[in-house]
């Protein structure tokens, strides 16, 4: 089945450019484009697989839209579109469950693959955003509650979560730790339940915030 996409941006030129690129891609349909004012109703109505959502829009910004979509339990995976990166925006978007940060000047040849990764549950971050994500600056405020949640995981679950935080897929984690993909899927499901996380990204954010790393899963 084709991936269903909605593009939200306050600039018509940006919406059109992304739509042209993605509709020319096999198995992708852009079912709607709109600005921030119409975003929530449009996404809820069309029920897409992926939303590409501008961070900064003049009337209703992307974080407000993302927060409302999550409040309504929208199933779509959301990637933020941006021309800039700040720790505040990155941290807030990731904590709200965004599964990607894409620059508006992303290489057109790479864009469809990034969308496929996001649709399949992966995390895609533009290089500059990735640097912010891994710098540790976002995660210095890990609370006692965060640490308690991490402490509830088994050593194997902490190892798997650390690899999820690196952006690895279940198949890649399975290869890394020499287990079957189905076993990894079960571990990830258990991790999300124990952490009370609605997505792999939210679990990864908690892992980063508490300093969990693949090199020290038993700490």
């Amino acid at each position: 089945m084709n991936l269903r996409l909605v593009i939200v941006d306050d600039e018509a030129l940006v919406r059109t450019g992304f739509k042209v690129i993605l509709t020319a891609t096999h198995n992708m349909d852009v079912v709607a484009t709109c600005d921030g004012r119409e975003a929530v109703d449009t996404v809820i109505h069309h029920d897409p697989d992926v939303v590409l959502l501008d961070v900064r829009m003049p009337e209703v910004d992307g974080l407000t839209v993302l927060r409302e979509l999550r409040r309504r339990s929208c199933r779509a995976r959301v990637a933020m579109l941006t021309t800039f990166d700040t720790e505040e925006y990155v941290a807030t978007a990731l904590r709200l469950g965004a599964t990607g940060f894409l620059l508006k000047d992303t290489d057109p040849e790479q864009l469809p693959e990034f969308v496929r990764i996001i649709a399949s549950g992966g995390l895609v971050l533009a290089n500059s955003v990735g640097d912010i994500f891994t710098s540790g600056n976002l995660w210095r405020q890990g609370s006692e509650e965060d640490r308690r949640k991490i402490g509830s995981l088994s050593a194997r679950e902490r190892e798997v979560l650390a690899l999820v935080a690196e952006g690895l897929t279940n198949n890649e984690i399975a290869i890394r730790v020499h287990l079957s993909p189905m076993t990894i899927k079960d571990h990830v499901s258990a991790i999300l339940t124990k952490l009370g996380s609605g997505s792999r990204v939210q679990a990864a954010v908690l892992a980063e915030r508490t300093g969990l790393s693949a090199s020290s899963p038993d700490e």
Side-chain angles (χ1 to χ4, degrees):
M1 296 179 62
N2 287 1
L3 288 177
R4 295 165 50 81
L5 315 174
V6 168
I7 300 168
V8 181
D9 196 286
D10 65 309
E11 298 182 30
L13 184 60
V14 172
R15 297 196 301 265
T16 300
F18 273 77
K19 181 176 181 178
V20 168
I21 294 168
L22 294 171
T23 53
T25 303
H26 180 60
N27 288 344
M28 289 189 188
D29 289 332
V30 176
V31 295
T33 68
C34 63
D35 61 18
R37 294 170 301 176
E38 304 167 331
V40 173
D41 287 343
T42 299
V43 171
I44 296 299
H45 174 72
H46 288 280
D47 188 28
D49 301 297
V50 176
V51 177
L52 302 183
L53 175 62
D54 190 11
V55 172
R56 277 194 175 178
M57 294 179 285
E59 298 191 43
V60 181
D61 68 88
L63 295 180
T64 298
V65 172
L66 178 58
R67 188 175 287 108
E68 180 63 15
L69 291 176
R70 292 300 173 244
R71 188 186 72 80
R72 297 197 190 188
S73 301
C74 174
R75 73 174 185 89
R77 300 187 184 278
V78 179
M80 312 306 291
L81 297 176
T82 183
T83 55
F84 64 95
D85 333 297
T86 67
E87 291 184 4
E88 178 184 2
Y89 277 102
V90 173
T92 301
L94 291 173
R95 286 167 184 159
L96 288 172
T99 56
F101 259 83
L102 302 178
L103 298 181
K104 291 187 180 181
D105 61 356
T106 295
D107 186 333
E109 293 185 359
Q110 292 183 309
L111 180 61
E113 182 57 27
F114 288 159
V115 170
R116 289 192 185 95
I117 292 171
I118 291 164
S120 66
L123 176 65
V124 175
L125 300 176
N127 289 338
S128 54
V129 178
D131 291 341
I132 293 174
F133 185 79
T134 58
S135 68
N137 293 333
L138 296 181
W139 323 116
R140 291 173 180 168
Q141 302 301 317
S143 67
E144 182 62 34
E145 176 66 11
D146 291 337
R147 290 188 287 274
R148 185 195 65 77
K149 289 180 178 180
I150 293 296
S152 72
L153 303 179
S154 68
R156 176 65 82 184
E157 288 168 344
R158 290 197 297 274
E159 181 181 21
V160 170
L161 175 57
L163 295 172
V164 168
E166 288 185 14
L168 274 62
T169 65
N170 286 354
N171 286 340
E172 290 169 336
I173 295 172
I175 293 171
R176 183 79 67 89
V177 300
H178 308 294
L179 293 173
S180 72
M182 185 57 67
T183 297
I184 297 302
K185 181 179 179 180
D186 290 342
H187 279 312
V188 171
S189 178
I191 289 166
L192 296 182
T193 298
K194 289 183 179 180
L195 299 183
S197 298
S199 71
R200 294 167 71 98
V201 174
Q202 290 175 332
V205 167
L206 193 150
E208 293 286 349
R209 195 161 64 221
T210 55
L212 186 67
S213 69
S215 61
S216 55
D218 295 322
E219 291 181 359

